[in-house]
Amino acid sequence: MTRTRRRWRDLSGRQQAAILTLASVELLLTATAATDLWSRPAGQVRGRKALWWPSLLIQPFGPIAYLTLGRVPPAPR
């Protein structure tokens, strides 16, 4: 059984647009999570910041996990 590699030009316009959209969302999520992790004090992060950095490389679950579970919610006023 041989597998044929599909090239970018073989994809339809809709498929290309979907890939570019998902890649943009993934990049935006990772950049948002990295910026937040960099600027957030360690006391406002669940766990150690050093352990969250490698998790951001696990796409797309790492950035989503950090943004939903890794940050301590602000105290109510």
Side-chain angles (χ1 to χ4, degrees):
M1 179 160 118
T2 34
R3 222 173 149 184
T4 307
R5 284 186 60 167
R6 294 182 78 181
R7 300 187 189 276
W8 182 256
R9 66 177 175 255
D10 296 336
L11 299 174
S12 70
R14 178 175 274 178
Q15 290 171 324
Q16 289 178 354
I19 290 170
L20 290 174
T21 301
L22 291 173
S24 298
V25 169
E26 186 174 304
L27 183 62
L28 181 64
L29 272 172
T30 303
T32 301
T35 302
D36 185 83
L37 185 57
W38 180 265
S39 63
R40 188 173 291 271
Q44 294 180 1
V45 175
R46 288 192 176 111
R48 293 187 3 218
K49 286 176 79 167
L51 296 177
W52 279 109
W53 283 109
S55 75
L56 297 184
L57 300 176
I58 302 169
Q59 296 298 327
F61 305 108
I64 293 170
Y66 170 73
L67 292 171
T68 58
L69 304 172
R71 302 182 299 171
V72 175
R77 293 182 174 207

